[in-house]
């Protein structure tokens, strides 16, 4: 199935594919416990993520599509991948001048806008504080709270900081098992190969065989069981997360898979 770069008008379809394909993922029971009761709110969270990320100039959204004469555009989006370029050189990905290019402010500004939006109009699909879980994980605090536990898999040795990352991958459930997922992965691995860089992905539960088949050969650890053993990392941890918040909630996915292993000199 053909692939192309996503356009702004694809974002609605992308959000719906993410919402549908991740619907039964183990993490969703924690971060979207009320998705059944409030399906529109659930999709809206994905849309917020996609729109914010669309304006992140370190990222590239790719879509797969099929011909569909019934659609106004003549095609239907069948799958999507969000690829991120991290480290040295990532500030030039979309022809931005440098790190100080004002266009870099768009994505954080959208994040601030949605923060205020949520305060005014609370999203009903996400968890609320309770006695058993006073600080629940949700889609907005997730990356920030997991980062201290996952950082070492991305920066140790330091040469690893320079890489391509598959941040999101999803295929419409109606189109799965037709090779689309592998094609979307191959697109980014080819970019990484052209840049002579390794690529990394954090896999959802049970996806390790799929990713290894695609070329992410090496499992170097698991974010959901990682502990913090370094004093500097400890300082970075939000005070509420002394223990890994995934481990605490019994979430088991999160294998970190690289295409290449770093050698002892720190080269990939
Ligand atoms: C994972 C996903 C992207 C794979 O996309 P896909 O288009 O169905 O994958 P492909 O057709 O290219 O898969 C090829 C092979 O990978 C394996 N595979 C695919 N999905 C798998 C999964 N979820 N778990 C384990 N193996 C899987 C299968 O062996 C398949 O070969 P088969 O047809 O002989 O069984 C898709 O299942 C999906 O969107 N899942 C929900 C969202 C998700 O988990 N995304 C990844 C988060 S890190």
């Amino acid at each position: 199935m053909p692939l192309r770069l996503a356009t702004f008008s694809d974002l609605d379809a992308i959000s719906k594919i993410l919402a549908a394909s991740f619907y039964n993922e183990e993490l969703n029971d924690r971060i979207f416990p009320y998705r059944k009761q409030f399906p529109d709110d659930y999709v809206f969270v994905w849309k917020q993520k996609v729109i914010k990320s669309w304006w992140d100039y370190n990222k590239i959204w790719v879509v797969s599509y099929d011909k569909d004469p019934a659609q106004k555009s003549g095609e239907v989006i069948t799958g999507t991948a969000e690829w991120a370029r991290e480290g040295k050189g990532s500030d030039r990905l979309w022809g931005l001048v440098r790190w100080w290019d004002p266009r870099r402010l768009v994505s954080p500004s959208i994040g601030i806008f949605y923060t205020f939006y949520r305060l005014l109009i609370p999203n009903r699909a996400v968890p609320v504080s309770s006695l058993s879980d006073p600080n629940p994980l949700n889609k907005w605090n997730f990356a920030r709270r997991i980062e201290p536990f996952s950082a070492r898999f991305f920066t140790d040795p330091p040469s690893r900081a320079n890489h391509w990352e598959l941040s999101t991958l999803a295929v419409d459930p109606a189109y799965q098992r037709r090779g689309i997922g592998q094609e979307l992965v191959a697109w980014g691995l080819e970019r990484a190969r052209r840049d002579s860089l390794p690529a990394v992905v954090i896999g959802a539960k049970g996806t390790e065989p799929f990713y290894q088949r695609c070329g992410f050969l090496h499992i170097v650890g698991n974010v959901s069981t990682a502990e913090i053993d370094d004093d500097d990392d400890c300082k970075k941890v939000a005070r509420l997360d002394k223990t890994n918040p995934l481990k605490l909630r019994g979430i088991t996915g999160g294998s970190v898979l690289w295409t290449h292993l770093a050698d002892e000199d720190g080269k990939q």
Side-chain angles (χ1 to χ4, degrees):
M1 213 164 272
L3 306 185
R4 62 167 169 75
L5 295 185
T7 63
F8 192 78
S9 60
D10 295 328
L11 300 193
D12 198 45
I14 289 175
S15 310
K16 286 178 182 151
I17 287 176
L18 293 177
S21 66
F22 282 100
Y23 197 85
N24 293 317
E25 218 264 317
E26 63 160 352
L27 188 58
N28 258 5
D29 286 334
R30 286 291 181 174
I31 63 176
F32 295 116
Y34 307 111
R35 61 194 184 285
K36 276 195 189 79
Q37 292 91 325
F38 300 104
D40 292 342
D41 287 33
Y42 169 60
V43 176
F44 185 48
V45 178
W46 284 105
K47 192 154 190 185
Q48 291 174 35
K49 175 219 156 41
V50 171
I51 291 178
K52 182 171 181 292
S53 159
W54 169 261
W55 291 104
D56 182 335
Y57 284 92
N58 281 16
K59 301 196 169 172
I60 296 182
W61 283 89
V62 183
V63 291
S64 58
Y65 61 97
D66 200 6
K67 298 261 175 289
D68 184 358
Q71 303 291 325
K72 200 173 157 192
S73 61
E75 62 181 41
V76 60
I77 304 298
T78 56
T80 187
E82 178 194 23
W83 280 95
R85 173 74 166 83
E86 302 291 349
K88 205 171 154 203
S90 60
D91 55 354
R92 303 288 177 92
L93 186 60
W94 284 101
L96 264 63
V97 187
R98 286 308 288 269
W99 58 267
W100 46 262
D101 191 311
R103 284 173 287 180
R104 286 196 183 279
L105 294 173
V106 179
S107 180
S109 305
I110 290 170
I112 292 167
F113 170 79
Y114 280 133
T115 302
F116 282 109
Y117 186 97
R118 288 195 295 276
L119 288 173
L120 290 173
I121 308 172
N123 189 291
R124 295 164 296 175
V126 302
V128 288
S129 299
S130 64
L131 278 179
S132 59
D133 193 356
N135 298 297
L137 281 175
N138 60 41
K139 194 71 190 157
W140 306 294
N141 65 25
F142 187 81
R144 177 170 44 82
R145 289 175 63 179
I146 301 308
E147 200 268 345
F149 298 89
S150 65
R152 85 167 92 131
F153 298 122
F154 294 82
T155 55
D156 182 20
S159 62
R160 277 217 171 127
N162 203 13
H163 60 258
W164 277 89
E165 179 180 357
L166 177 56
S167 307
T168 311
L169 175 70
V171 174
D172 184 327
Y175 288 86
Q176 287 178 8
R177 306 261 161 166
R178 299 190 198 179
I180 297 172
Q182 288 186 75
E183 288 174 25
L184 288 161
V185 174
W187 184 95
L189 295 191
E190 173 57 20
R191 285 295 297 251
R193 196 193 57 77
R194 270 167 31 203
D195 290 347
S196 304
L197 290 176
V200 63
V201 64
I202 299 182
K205 186 179 180 181
T207 54
E208 292 88 348
F210 166 75
Y211 282 126
Q212 289 190 306
R213 198 163 154 175
C214 290
F216 289 98
L217 300 177
H218 309 283
I219 301 178
V220 301
N222 190 301
V223 171
S224 65
T225 53
E227 292 297 354
I228 293 172
D229 46 22
D230 181 279
D231 279 352
D232 286 344
D233 282 345
C234 273
K235 286 180 203 144
K236 282 190 255 162
V237 183
R239 259 164 293 152
L240 48 104
D241 290 321
K242 295 273 188 275
T243 310
N244 186 325
L246 295 175
K247 199 179 194 176
L248 202 62
R249 292 164 177 83
I251 295 161
T252 55
S255 294
V256 182
L257 297 102
W258 284 87
T259 50
H260 301 75
L261 280 181
D263 68 22
E264 284 172 359
D265 297 330
K267 294 188 190 109
Q268 297 285 345

